[in-house]
Structure formats: structure tokens, C-alpha cells
């Protein structure tokens, strides 16, 4: 059986309250440290993405995998999983929330984020619903959507991140008297966010009400995303987002749970069908070089090397 959605391990606080190389300009690592990132060994093939459950694992794990042939990074994008969109019942407004583990990663950017960026790995913050009724698809006004977009872009700037990933799960739309999904909210949110950070990554975990509401009032936000990926681990599903193949990941694997043979098959299909992204989830602190090599051999023609 494949995993339909992520098996997330949450802390009590969260349960209760809750990018081939990328072609952007200066990196957040440079802006934050004043030092240029080290040259990245050339790697040819799809962009590899690694989500990390920071409730249990360190972001540093993403930088521990290189290719035996050439020494390039296995992973190009590291996703901090996850911040939350919460709801303030007093002000009746959505706000960006970090549980203690996400906050720890952000506060320790010098050791958790900068080392990855200095290797040429982009670091993106995923934002997820938190059962409080607030989601990306039910802002009551364009102004409310823009206000949340500003919270997101301010966070990216404050912590020197490389972008934002949207994951519209667990919002529990309607809780706390919130509205049901509407057609305008996500369009307003992504439009405002892209205006705030034109050179940063905006990615879409292709699930939930927001993912099916990408057009409103003659505006289609599909082209505002840098990437979109399949949310169902162990499967092949092309995201229904109007992006070129180079920005889509129909393949999705959960490292350690998706079989190596399936991971290899999905990687082989990614290359043969000309897609440009390969999504992985739940990279932990163990030596996963066998699992990772299963797909790197197909994507890049090389085994993966793990360096503790």
C-alpha cells in the first residue's frame, strides 16, 4: 500500500495549536551571512526536494548526501515541515504560527539553515493548516489575504529563507466560525506573496481546496508557482497545474517507507517522461544512502554517499 498523505508525528503543542540547479539571483545565505556560497559541483538531472519533519529531525541531514560521481548535492531544495496557519478568535484573523521545533530551526538558522544554503541548497518553509478553521482558501477579504502574505514574506526576509511552500491540509474549514473555501482567497494570497518576493520560491503541495482554486476574476496564478508536486507517496500523479514539466513532480516517495524498487521506478519514469522535479518526504537522521541511491542512480546515474 502507498501512503496517501504524510504520516506526521506532532508535538502536543502542534497537535493542540499547532528546486537541475535553481536559477534565482543572490541566495538568502549570502544576504544573511555576507559570505558567498561555496561553488556547487555540477549536477545534471531533475531537481530533488526533501521535506524534513523538524519535530523529530534536523534540517542538517539534507546536506549529508552527495553524489558519488562528481560530488554534487543529492538534494536541491530542503523544506522545513511545518509552520501553521492558525486562527485568532479575538481578532478573527489568520496568523502564522511556529511550534517550538519550527521556532528552534528558525532561531538556529546559523547551524540549521545557512550550512545548507552555503552548499547551494535552497531552504523553504512549508505552511500547513492546524485544525483551527483558518486556511489558504477562506480569507474573508483580499486585504486579509494580503496581510497573511505579508506575514509570510516578512518571515522569509527575517530568517533568510528561500521561499514558501503551501500545503492545504488540516485547516478544518468552518471551525471557530470561519468560512468555507471560496474561489478568491488563494488567488489573492499567492498574487500578493509573489509581489512581495518576486525572486523567491513559491511551491504547491498539490492537495486541498486551495489547490483546486487557482483562477479567479480573470487571474490564473499557476505561473506564479516555481514548483508543484504530487502529495501521494509511492505513487505517480501529474499535478493539474499549468506549469511546464520542468517544474512538476508527478513522483513522490517517503524515504524509508516507499520501497527502493518503487522509488527507482518513479525516478526512471521522471527522466523518461521529461519531468524536472523529484519529491521526497521524511528524511531523517539515519544513513538512508541505500534508499536515496535507489532514485539517484536513475535521476543522475550515480549512487548517493552519506557523510555523517
Amino acid at each position: 500500500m502507498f501512503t496517501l498523505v504524510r504520516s506526521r508525528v506532532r508535538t502536543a503543542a502542534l497537535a493542540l495549536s499547532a528546486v537541475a540547479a535553481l536559477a534565482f539571483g543572490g541566495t538568502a545565505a549570502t544576504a544573511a551571512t555576507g559570505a558567498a556560497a561555496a561553488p556547487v559541483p555540477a549536477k545534471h538531472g531533475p531537481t530533488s526536494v526533501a521535506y524534513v519533519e523538524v519535530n523529530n529531525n534536523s534540517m542538517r541531514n539534507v546536506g549529508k548526501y552527495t553524489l558519488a560521481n562528481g560530488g554534487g548535492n543529492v538534494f536541491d531544495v530542503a523544506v522545513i515541515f511545518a509552520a501553521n496557519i492558525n486562527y485568532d478568535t479575538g481578532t478573527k484573523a489568520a496568523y502564522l504560527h511556529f511550534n517550538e521545533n519550527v521556532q528552534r530551526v528558525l532561531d538556529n538558522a546559523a547551524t540549521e539553515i545557512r550550512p545548507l544554503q552555503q552548499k547551494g541548497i535552497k531552504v523553504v518553509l512549508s505552511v500547513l493548516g492546524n485544525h483551527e478553521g483558518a486556511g489558504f482558501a477562506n480569507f474573508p477579504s483580499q486585504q486579509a489575504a494580503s496581510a497573511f502574505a505579508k506575514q509570510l514574506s516578512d518571515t522569509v526576509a527575517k530568517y533568510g529563507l528561500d521561499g514558501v511552500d503551501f500545503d492545504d491540509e488540516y485547516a478544518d474549514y468552518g471551525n471557530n466560525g470561519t468560512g468555507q473555501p471560496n474561489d478568491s482567497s488563494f488567488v489573492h494570497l499567492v498574487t500578493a506573496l509573489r509581489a512581495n518576493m518576486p525572486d523567491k520560491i513559491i511551491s504547491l503541495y498539490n492537495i486541498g481546496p486551495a489547490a483546486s482554486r487557482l483562477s479567479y476574476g480573470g487571474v490564473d496564478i499557476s505561473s506564479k508557482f516555481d514548483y508543484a508536486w504530487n502529495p501521494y507517496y509511492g505513487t505517480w500523479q501529474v499535478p493539474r497545474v499549468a506549469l511546464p514539466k520542468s517544474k512538476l513532480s508527478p513522483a513522490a516517495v517517503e524515504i524509508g517507507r516507499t520501497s527502493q524498487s518503487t522509488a527507482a521506478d518513479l525516478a526512471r519514469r521522471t527522466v523518461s517522461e521529461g519531468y524536472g522535479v523529484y519529491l521526497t518526504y521524511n528524511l531523517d537522521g539515519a544513513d538512508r544512502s541505500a534508499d536515496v541511491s535507489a532514485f539517484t542512480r536513475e535521476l543522475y546515474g550515480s549512487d548517493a554517499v552519506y557523510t555523517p
Side-chain angles (χ1 to χ4, degrees):
M1 290 291 290
F2 55 81
T3 305
L4 281 179
V5 292
R6 285 173 263 200
S7 54
R8 298 169 170 88
V9 181
R10 298 165 176 267
T11 62
L14 177 58
L16 294 174
S17 68
V19 169
L22 302 176
F24 296 111
T27 66
T30 301
T33 66
V40 181
K43 182 181 80 172
H44 302 286
T47 295
S48 291
V49 182
Y51 277 85
V52 178
E53 288 263 16
V54 298
N55 285 341
N56 310 294
N57 300 296
S58 170
M59 292 300 295
R60 294 190 300 270
N61 295 328
V62 182
K64 295 179 178 180
Y65 292 87
T66 55
L67 297 175
N69 298 341
N73 298 314
V74 166
F75 298 106
D76 304 287
V77 181
V79 185
I80 302 168
F81 190 80
N84 296 102
I85 178 171
N86 279 14
Y87 188 69
D88 187 320
T89 57
T91 62
K92 300 187 183 303
Y95 67 95
L96 184 60
H97 170 76
F98 311 129
N99 76 356
E100 61 185 359
N101 297 302
V102 173
Q103 189 66 66
R104 172 184 48 77
V105 171
L106 297 175
D107 288 343
N108 291 282
T111 56
E112 290 285 318
I113 297 171
R114 301 294 171 256
L116 300 181
Q117 293 174 325
Q118 289 163 0
K119 290 174 180 283
I121 299 169
K122 303 292 186 177
V123 180
V124 171
L125 179 67
S126 183
V127 186
L128 178 72
N130 202 18
H131 309 285
E132 297 189 358
F136 312 129
N138 69 342
F139 292 103
S141 67
Q142 182 173 358
Q143 292 74 18
S146 295
F148 190 73
K150 188 174 188 303
Q151 292 184 49
L152 294 172
S153 57
D154 284 352
T155 295
V156 168
K158 178 178 180 178
Y159 295 105
L161 301 174
D162 295 298
V164 170
D165 175 65
F166 288 111
D167 183 347
D168 191 17
E169 300 178 273
Y170 310 118
D172 291 358
Y173 289 102
N175 277 3
N176 291 314
T178 58
Q180 292 299 314
N182 61 62
D183 291 339
S184 63
S185 286
F186 198 43
V187 173
H188 291 323
L189 175 61
V190 174
T191 299
L193 183 61
R194 177 51 79 202
N196 292 351
M197 43 182 233
D199 298 321
K200 298 292 186 177
I201 294 169
I202 304 177
S203 59
L204 178 64
Y205 190 81
N206 191 40
I207 199 169
S212 62
R213 291 169 166 83
L214 304 183
S215 179
Y216 175 76
V219 177
D220 189 312
I221 57 171
S222 298
S223 64
K224 298 185 185 299
F225 294 103
D226 294 281
Y227 304 105
W229 29 71
N230 171 18
Y232 302 113
Y233 300 110
T235 74
W236 177 272
Q237 179 176 290
V238 180
R240 295 180 178 179
V241 182
L243 287 171
K245 283 185 172 185
S246 61
K247 296 186 176 185
L248 297 175
S249 181
V253 302
E254 182 171 356
I255 295 174
R257 294 191 64 180
T258 301
S259 71
Q260 293 177 19
S261 60
T262 297
D265 288 343
L266 292 171
R268 191 177 305 115
R269 187 171 179 182
T270 297
V271 173
S272 67
E273 297 192 20
Y275 288 93
V277 190
Y278 188 87
L279 178 69
T280 75
Y281 169 69
N282 207 24
L283 183 67
D284 59 20
D287 179 354
R288 298 291 183 182
S289 55
D291 293 304
V292 175
S293 292
F295 61 82
T296 60
R297 282 192 291 266
E298 303 298 332
L299 296 177
Y300 312 118
S302 175
D303 283 337
V305 176
Y306 172 78
T307 304

